Amino acid sequence: MAEASAALAEAIVSNDADRIGALLGEEWRLIDADGPTTRARFLEVVRSGELTHSMMRPSADIEVRVYGRTAVVLARVVNTAHFGGRTFEADEWTTDVFALRDARWVCVHTHITAARAGS
């Protein structure tokens, strides 16, 4: 299961919308401080080059809990994103929900919370 999470991070850093999309369920949404973003919108900004990532890695141990055909992955992640001509360095707590479909794990929900220093 941790492999599926790592594959998603690698796909995001590849900035390849098709590769990312193959790892996301059709219903996937990202929730962050700005509210929900749909799968279609996220892939659109990646495909256009408006959003890119040059680094994404866990900064602490990843916690994985599997509940049958559903898994929850909690991680503290640092990443570098580029959006609208600006660079953003982020330190975030992420929760990804994966579902087992056709013998492979796909991410169906992502929630991101900015981490505070020392947390």
Side-chain angles (χ1 to χ4, degrees):
M1 181 57 249
E3 296 83 13
S5 180
L8 181 56
E10 290 169 11
I12 290 171
V13 172
S14 79
N15 300 303
D16 180 333
D18 293 332
R19 183 174 167 192
I20 297 166
L23 301 172
L24 302 177
E26 291 298 321
E27 72 275 50
W28 179 85
R29 291 194 338 165
L30 166 69
I31 309 298
D32 63 12
D34 295 325
T37 300
T38 65
R39 177 185 189 274
R41 176 66 182 143
F42 182 78
L43 295 176
E44 174 185 306
V45 295
V46 170
R47 189 168 280 114
S48 73
E50 185 179 1
L51 172 66
T52 62
H53 286 82
S54 56
M55 187 270 293
M56 179 173 289
R57 65 175 171 73
S59 63
D61 289 339
I62 296 172
E63 182 180 326
V64 177
R65 294 184 183 181
V66 178
Y67 306 96
R69 298 176 61 80
T70 303
V72 178
V73 178
L74 172 66
R76 186 163 181 172
V77 174
V78 292
N79 72 78
T80 304
H82 314 276
F83 184 73
R86 296 180 56 207
T87 298
F88 298 89
E89 303 285 336
D91 180 1
E92 304 165 321
W93 288 101
T94 64
T95 304
D96 289 311
V97 179
F98 287 82
L100 186 60
R101 296 189 178 152
D102 299 322
R104 66 185 193 92
W105 292 100
V106 295
C107 190
V108 296
H109 180 82
T110 298
H111 193 111
I112 298 172
T113 303
R116 275 194 222 127
S119 65

